Amino acid sequence: MRSRRHALAVGLALAYSFALLGDQMLYVFLPSNPAAAGIAAASLGLVLSANRLVRLAANSLGGLLSDRLGRRRPYLLGMVLALASTAGYLVSDSLWSLLVSRVLWGIAFALLYVGGIAIMLDHSTDADRGRTVGFYQSLLQLGTLVGLVLSGFLTDLLGYRGTLAIYVPLTALGLGMALWVLREGDPAPAHSAPSPAAGSPPLGTLATLRRLDPRLLAPAYVCFATHFAGSGVLAATLGMYLKQLAAEPGGSGWLVPVASLTGMLLATRRLAGMVEAPIAGHLLDRFGDRRIVAAAGVLAILAGFVTLAGGRSVALVIAGVVLVSVGEGFSQPAVVVWTGDGAPPHLRGMVMGGLSTAGDLGAALGPLVAYALLETAGLRSAYALGAALALSALLALALVRGAAPLTPRA
């Protein structure tokens, strides 16, 4: 069982990483070269955010498909759509054709991310769920980090379409990898639902969702708050904050240029996730109560945003980003495992889709609110808001009852 679980984690992480290459390349290359894709700079925000907007609806729908059709077919559909979207980037020469490809990728990502997590939860038990999810998420972060570095190197060497010409067959290789690793079909728990009580009619999906333990709202809120602060506010404003500091007296003597330092600090978030996810998984299994690990992570995020809001030096900015990155590395596996505890096997897709939607909503709203605050109160107020959200997440963790594991209400 353990060897099968590890083979699944490695194979699905490889497939996911290959599928992600085209999307990552757009974020690396298009902000400085939008004309290469045949679009104007004014359209860049729409192109880069379209997939995330689609995911607000696609996450739960993808989870529903995973619950109804089994894990294998929706996941493979996601890989096919990822291949189609990457090929679409290659041949697209206008805004609308590129947007169609971005919509396809948003659907693909929902199927792959939600489906992959559901598969790993299906192969875990209460005793090893933390380590299973932690190992898988560490591999995802490693693939993402390698993809970002590879995209930067290849686009400098081969340009936009030359890089995509390599990424299309690599995505096809990822589809082949998914076909191979899922060749044995779905795990039994994906189709096992709890039997209704004697004499009781079977419940529909919506009725069953209503009967879930309401404590599952706590990890969903933590996911929303931490993504709003980290993936939303911090990721969208870090470069601008560093640029402002560099323009102040004495800021011109930095050893590392602003753009390079921004990239290095943002990469720290991926590196922290890769290193910490297995550690978080071990701690989750050891302590049992998921709130302990989640609270430790949120506390680090809170400290990071307090540092960012109060600091006026590059050293404090670096310290703040590192603290936020460390916090995310612990909090994100914790909320996934916590939610997995309370999700019935036959509804794991939809429940995990709801958790992903909470995170995507936070990450989508964060930049909008941050730049609105920038115009009225300055960036430090945006970081103060990030600290306030982290504090509210800590309060939610303190108020909810024990959380390991949860079971549906009768």
Side-chain angles (χ1 to χ4, degrees), residues 51-60 353 356-362 364:
N51 64 306
R52 193 179 291 276
L53 295 173
V54 169
R55 277 156 45 189
L56 295 177
N59 284 326
S60 295
S356 297
T357 299
D360 281 339
L361 181 61

Side-chain angles (χ1 to χ4, degrees), residues 296-319:
V298 176
L299 187 61
I301 293 173
L302 172 60
F305 274 97
V306 169
T307 302
L308 287 165
R312 294 300 299 178
S313 70
V314 66
L316 287 175
V317 171
I318 293 172

Side-chain angles (χ1 to χ4, degrees), residues 137-214:
Q137 290 196 322
S138 178
L139 292 175
L140 296 187
Q141 296 288 359
L142 174 61
T144 302
L145 189 60
V146 171
L148 288 170
V149 174
L150 181 65
S151 291
F153 172 77
L154 287 180
T155 50
D156 283 339
L157 184 66
L158 302 174
Y160 176 77
R161 300 196 189 276
T163 301
L164 285 170
I166 293 176
Y167 281 178
V168 170
L170 284 179
T171 306
L173 178 62
L175 173 58
M177 176 66 69
L179 284 166
W180 180 79
V181 78
L182 295 176
R183 65 193 182 280
E184 296 181 13
D186 296 310
H191 296 293
S192 61
S195 300
S200 300
L203 296 173
T205 298
L206 290 178
T208 307
L209 287 173
R210 293 192 193 102
R211 295 165 67 92
L212 289 175
D213 195 311

Side-chain angles (χ1 to χ4, degrees), residues 322-395:
V322 169
L323 282 169
V324 172
S325 301
V326 169
E328 289 175 325
F330 282 111
S331 65
Q332 291 179 13
V335 297
V336 170
V337 173
W338 185 354
T339 305
D341 289 337
H346 66 297
L347 289 179
R348 274 186 182 137
M350 286 197 69
V351 175
M352 298 311 301
L355 182 70
S356 297
T357 299
D360 281 339
L361 181 61
L365 290 177
L368 299 176
V369 175
Y371 280 104
L373 287 173
L374 172 64
E375 297 296 328
T376 57
L379 268 179
R380 296 173 74 182
S381 66
Y383 295 142
L385 175 61
L389 278 171
L391 180 60
S392 71
L394 276 177
L395 291 175

